[in-house]
């Protein structure tokens, strides 16, 4: 039997668990991961490894998480791998799913950039 195909999708969340692509300097963010499989087949079960990048292009990870198991719905809310408070700049996450049982093929989520902006604007006469 050939392994089934999995798909890994991610969403960056702020401390209030709202989806974000831009946050203010000083904020903290974490990743939410959803692994899906083929229609009519079991939900993928296995592990996710998250990488954190200090750029918006997922080049050369600054840190990787420990392996985190997906829940029964194929999800990980990676609050234990929260990053922050963040300085202004570009950052990103990437998630990789691995099924140790071999039922599903591994899958890598897209590069997920987040911009951190310093919203302190001063105008002087």
């Amino acid at each position: 039997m050939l392994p089934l195909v999995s798909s890994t999708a991610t969403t960056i969340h702020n401390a209030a668990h709202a989806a974000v692509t831009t946050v203010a300097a000083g904020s903290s963010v974490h990743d939410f991961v959803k692994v899906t499989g083929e229609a009519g087949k079991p939900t993928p079960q296995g592990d996710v490894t998250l990488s954190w990048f200090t750029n918006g292009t997922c080049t050369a990870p600054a840190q990787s998480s420990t392996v985190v198991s997906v829940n029964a719905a194929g999800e990980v809310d990676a609050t234990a791998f929260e990053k922050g408070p963040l300085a202004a700049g570009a950052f990103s996450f990437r998630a990789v799913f691995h099924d140790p049982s071999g039922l599903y093929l591994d899958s890598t989520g897209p590069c997920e950039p987040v911009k951190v902006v310093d919203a302190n604007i001063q105008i002087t006469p």
Side-chain angles (χ1 to χ4, degrees), residues 1-73:
M1 178 172 95
L2 293 174
L4 302 171
V5 176
S6 68
S7 178
T8 300
T10 55
T11 306
I12 296 176
H13 284 183
N14 63 15
H17 295 284
V20 295
T21 56
T22 303
V23 296
S27 297
S28 295
V29 295
H30 66 275
D31 218 6
F32 178 84
V33 181
K34 173 75 175 168
V35 181
T36 55
E38 295 182 19
K41 304 295 183 184
T43 300
Q45 294 298 296
D47 304 314
V48 170
T49 302
L50 290 163
S51 294
W52 172 248
F53 302 84
T54 53
N55 56 61
T57 59
C58 292
T59 305
Q63 185 179 13
S64 291
S65 72
T66 57
V67 175
V68 182
S69 295
V70 298
N71 64 19

Side-chain angles (χ1 to χ4, degrees), residues 46-125:
D47 304 314
V48 170
T49 302
L50 290 163
S51 294
W52 172 248
F53 302 84
T54 53
N55 56 61
T57 59
C58 292
T59 305
Q63 185 179 13
S64 291
S65 72
T66 57
V67 175
V68 182
S69 295
V70 298
N71 64 19
E75 300 172 341
V76 172
D77 192 12
T79 56
F81 195 60
E82 182 177 77
K83 299 299 167 191
L86 298 170
F91 301 90
S92 52
F93 281 107
R94 178 171 276 155
V96 177
F97 169 73
H98 172 68
D99 179 355
S101 77
L103 178 62
Y104 278 94
L105 293 170
D106 295 353
S107 58
T108 300
C111 181
E112 188 179 19
V114 61
K115 291 183 182 180
V116 180
V117 296
D118 184 354
N120 182 8
I121 299 172
Q122 298 181 8
I123 300 174
T124 57

